Amino acid sequence: MIENIARRTKQSSPVVQLPSELPGDYLKCFSCGRCVGDCPAAKHSSFNIRLIIHKMISDYEELLKDDIIWKCFQCDLCSLVCPVKLNPSSLIRKLRRDALIRGYKRERVETFVGFYKNFRLNGLIMPLSEDVKYARKKTGLKTPQPFINTELNGFHLIMKLPPPFYDSDTSFSSGLNITKQKKRQRSKRGKTS
Amino acid sequence: MINSLRLNQIPLEGPIVFFRSCMTTTQYPHVHVDSVRLLERLGYTVHVVREQTCCAGFSFFGGLTDEKPLVLSNARNMALFASYANDVVTVCNACFATLNLYQRVMEKQPELAVEVHKKLRKYRMSLPEKPLKVWHLLELLYAVKAKFPNPSPKKLGRIKAAVHTGCHFLRPNPAIALDSAISPRFFESLVARIGAKVVTYKEADLCCGGGWTTRHTDREISLAVSLQKLKSIHRTKATHILVSCPFCLNVLENAQVELEATGELEKILPVWHVSQLGLLALGVSSSAPVVR
């Protein structure tokens, strides 16, 4: 397969270098096509793991800009049928992460950024709506409070979760810093008075 | 083919921690209530830990972060659970996959594991020496299926269920899967044992259309796959769609409403979580219709 790509991309040598973070295992792909056979995304779009592996080697940057990597359902069927035990689902996750880091297609994950911000704040990905609160009350469910006991149950452990890869919003850490700064200012005032 | 090694390890009674899924917490509280009631009636002592966070699988599978947030938050969850029981049950395929991924990462990335232990110690928490075992509700129900009444209540016979196992239950961990990861049939045999009729349909192993994230990242293709699945179900005489995951429930329910509005589907079938059927079989009605 590598020789074919090299010929197609007019490279003199079939030696291909993958981006360092991607596992070299994908060079083992011999395009048998089993991954495409039952793929739900392939049935409804031009999504094709074989082509993605080709493109990954020949034009990585273009691949990251392409909408195609967002069509995978992560259903893992391809991983189960691959004769050389590749894991295309995990490859797609890596490609998506790389695309987001380089600033491509961030609009696709807006919902998840919202979820993640909620998660870091409340330990839940979505706030409870009034209807759900009512339903929970009627069915006798207590409101979940992940951070109910902040001292003992690791509130700060969760607060220190890293931000999304590309997120410039540092309100969490700055929020903590502000309270620290205020405390310092108060203690300074106390000393001076 | 049932994995008897896995089957023999499933606890048949006793204390168990119920892992709250984000979908049951914020969208389908009745699935939470029904599952807990069902487990209690089947002989388990169920603990719901109020301080538990979501599984955080979406941050990793959505491409936002690496495994670290998922591992940190679930280590905290497991440390909290350890004082209640040695087994954890979840009703959601995504939580099941995420908790198993957490355990794999802790095993295979010792450096990260050391960091996690260190952080937990800092907050006076610790993980048990023997990791907690994670089960899916379906696995438990399959193991204790003999406890369901035989013959089953007659009204269950009127239910013709199209069964959907979902992708993220067995496929991410084929090594520990209870049944074939590609084309599992144990859910169908469980439903038949509980007392409902099972209809077979061509796209039984197809994704519901949700993907991990595809519902949000590419709605067009997500709806196309949902339509393919739903058309295949609607061609049969199914009266209900039965799922094992609240996210699949959400996707199939909403897709039906959307596709009926555009005229691509003629009717809407009720989508049930397996806990609702289990409770009915024990003669208890579901807490589903709590609507303001």
Side-chain angles (χ1 to χ4, degrees):
Chain A
M1 181 181 135
I2 304 166
E3 284 175 1
N4 290 343
I5 296 166
R7 221 174 290 138
R8 243 176 272 153
T9 51
K10 293 176 187 169
Q11 287 174 0
S12 54
S13 156
V15 176
V16 180
Q17 280 202 333
L18 285 177
S20 56
E21 278 199 15
L22 289 172
D25 284 359
Y26 290 92
L27 297 177
K28 285 183 199 162
C29 170
F30 58 93
S31 285
C32 70
R34 289 192 69 181
C35 52
V36 188
D38 286 326
C39 172
K43 245 170 222 168
H44 296 280
S45 68
S46 54
F47 182 85
N48 184 324
I49 274 292
R50 287 183 300 176
L51 288 181
I52 286 176
I53 295 177
H54 277 234
K55 219 169 169 184
M56 187 175 94
I57 298 162
S58 60
D59 198 345
Y60 190 65
E61 199 69 19
E62 274 307 303
L63 175 63
L64 297 183
K65 289 178 193 169
D66 202 328
D67 283 318
I68 205 75
I69 58 171
W70 296 95
K71 294 193 183 294
C72 169
F73 284 84
Q74 299 278 300
C75 72
D76 274 321
L77 208 53
C78 45
S79 321
L80 292 170
V81 297
C82 178
V84 284
K85 308 271 181 240
L86 297 179
N87 187 344
S89 297
S90 102
L91 172 70
I92 293 287
R93 285 199 292 274
K94 284 190 173 73
L95 293 174
R96 285 176 179 178
R97 264 206 299 279
D98 228 1
L100 291 173
I101 291 167
R102 294 183 196 201
Y104 309 131
K105 308 292 174 189
R106 288 181 181 177
E107 67 281 2
R108 297 234 175 221
V109 291
E110 266 171 22
T111 319
F112 296 104
V113 173
F115 284 171
Y116 193 63
K117 282 180 180 167
N118 268 327
F119 176 71
R120 290 169 75 205
L121 253 181
N122 308 314
L124 301 171
I125 67 167
M126 285 178 268
L128 304 186
S129 69
E130 286 305 313
D131 285 341
V132 169
K133 276 183 190 165
Y134 178 80
R136 291 183 68 88
K137 203 175 167 188
K138 277 281 170 191
T139 46
L141 284 178
K142 286 180 183 172
T143 311
Q145 287 182 314
F147 303 137
I148 189 171
N149 188 348
T150 56
E151 287 287 310
L152 290 173
N153 291 326
F155 182 47
H156 303 288
L157 182 74
I158 297 298
M159 289 288 280
K160 280 184 182 168
L161 288 182
F165 277 129
Y166 56 90
D167 192 8
S168 58
D169 174 16
T170 51
S171 56
F172 270 93
S173 51
S174 61
L176 285 173
N177 289 338
I178 286 166
T179 49
K180 276 180 190 170
Q181 280 168 7
K182 276 183 182 174
K183 274 182 188 172
R184 273 180 213 148
Q185 280 171 1
R186 268 181 221 150
S187 63
K188 272 183 187 175
R189 270 182 225 153
K191 279 176 192 170
T192 48
S193 63
Chain B
M1 185 76 175
I2 295 295
N3 177 349
S4 52
L5 195 70
R6 175 88 176 162
L7 185 63
N8 292 336
Q9 290 174 346
I10 300 175
L12 305 177
E13 55 184 10
I16 198 155
V17 174
F18 181 84
F19 191 91
R20 257 189 300 103
S21 132
C22 59
M23 291 306 285
T24 59
T25 306
T26 61
Q27 308 276 313
Y28 301 106
H30 71 269
V31 173
H32 176 133
V33 177
D34 288 350
S35 307
V36 172
R37 276 189 198 161
L38 177 61
L39 287 167
E40 283 176 346
R41 278 167 196 268
L42 290 171
Y44 296 95
T45 312
V46 184
H47 298 281
V48 182
V49 182
R50 222 175 164 193
E51 293 93 335
Q52 177 220 309
T53 65
C54 288
C55 71
F58 71 94
S59 67
F60 174 66
F61 292 101
L64 297 185
T65 62
D66 54 15
E67 300 98 332
K68 207 172 171 182
L70 175 160
V71 173
L72 275 176
S73 45
N74 285 315
R76 174 187 178 271
N77 286 334
M78 291 295 175
L80 284 169
F81 296 164
S83 55
Y84 295 92
N86 296 325
D87 297 278
V88 180
V89 60
T90 170
V91 295
C92 172
N93 291 1
C95 294
F96 183 73
T98 306
L99 292 177
N100 279 307
L101 176 68
Y102 151 75
Q103 287 184 332
R104 268 209 313 277
V105 172
M106 287 292 277
E107 274 171 30
K108 293 188 177 174
Q109 296 186 28
E111 281 172 20
L112 185 56
V114 168
E115 194 186 330
V116 167
H117 284 293
K118 213 170 156 186
K119 283 208 169 189
L120 286 173
R121 264 201 304 278
K122 200 172 165 189
Y123 300 102
R124 284 178 259 164
M125 300 171 91
S126 61
L127 285 169
E129 273 179 31
K130 205 176 160 194
L132 272 66
K133 290 211 161 163
V134 179
W135 309 101
H136 193 288
L137 178 72
L138 264 192
E139 293 180 302
L140 261 55
L141 296 185
Y142 189 80
V144 298
K145 61 184 176 186
K147 290 185 185 175
F148 284 101
N150 194 7
S152 49
K154 272 185 185 172
K155 59 180 175 184
L156 282 193
R158 275 181 259 151
I159 296 173
K160 291 171 189 158
V163 170
H164 170 70
T165 314
C167 309
H168 303 121
F169 174 17
L170 302 174
R171 287 182 194 167
N173 309 290
I176 57 156
L178 184 63
D179 195 2
S180 153
I182 296 178
S183 187
R185 290 291 164 263
F186 81 105
F187 190 8
E188 291 174 8
S189 67
L190 171 68
V191 172
R193 168 64 189 83
I194 289 176
K197 284 181 181 143
V198 178
V199 297
T200 50
Y201 62 104
K202 193 185 160 199
E203 305 291 3
D205 301 322
L206 182 68
C207 169
C208 62
W212 260 106
T213 54
T214 323
R215 192 79 181 150
H216 297 285
T217 56
D218 199 319
R219 198 165 181 80
E220 201 181 317
I221 195 170
S222 165
L223 268 179
V225 170
S226 297
L227 180 63
Q228 186 189 344
K229 177 142 197 126
L230 288 165
K231 269 189 174 173
S232 167
I233 293 174
H234 285 210
R235 263 184 232 122
T236 66
K237 287 179 180 173
T239 58
H240 291 73
I241 301 172
L242 205 58
V243 297
S244 62
C245 169
F247 184 54
C248 300
L249 191 157
N250 181 275
V251 170
L252 290 173
E253 207 170 62
N254 291 337
Q256 282 191 101
V257 174
E258 247 175 89
L259 294 166
E260 199 227 20
T262 54
E264 286 174 276
L265 286 180
E266 286 174 1
K267 56 184 176 182
I268 297 177
L269 291 177
V271 189
W272 277 15
H273 189 261
V274 63
S275 55
Q276 287 175 264
L277 185 78
L279 265 192
L280 270 186
L282 298 178
V284 187
S285 56
S286 163
S287 52
V290 181
V291 183
R292 182 141 62 159

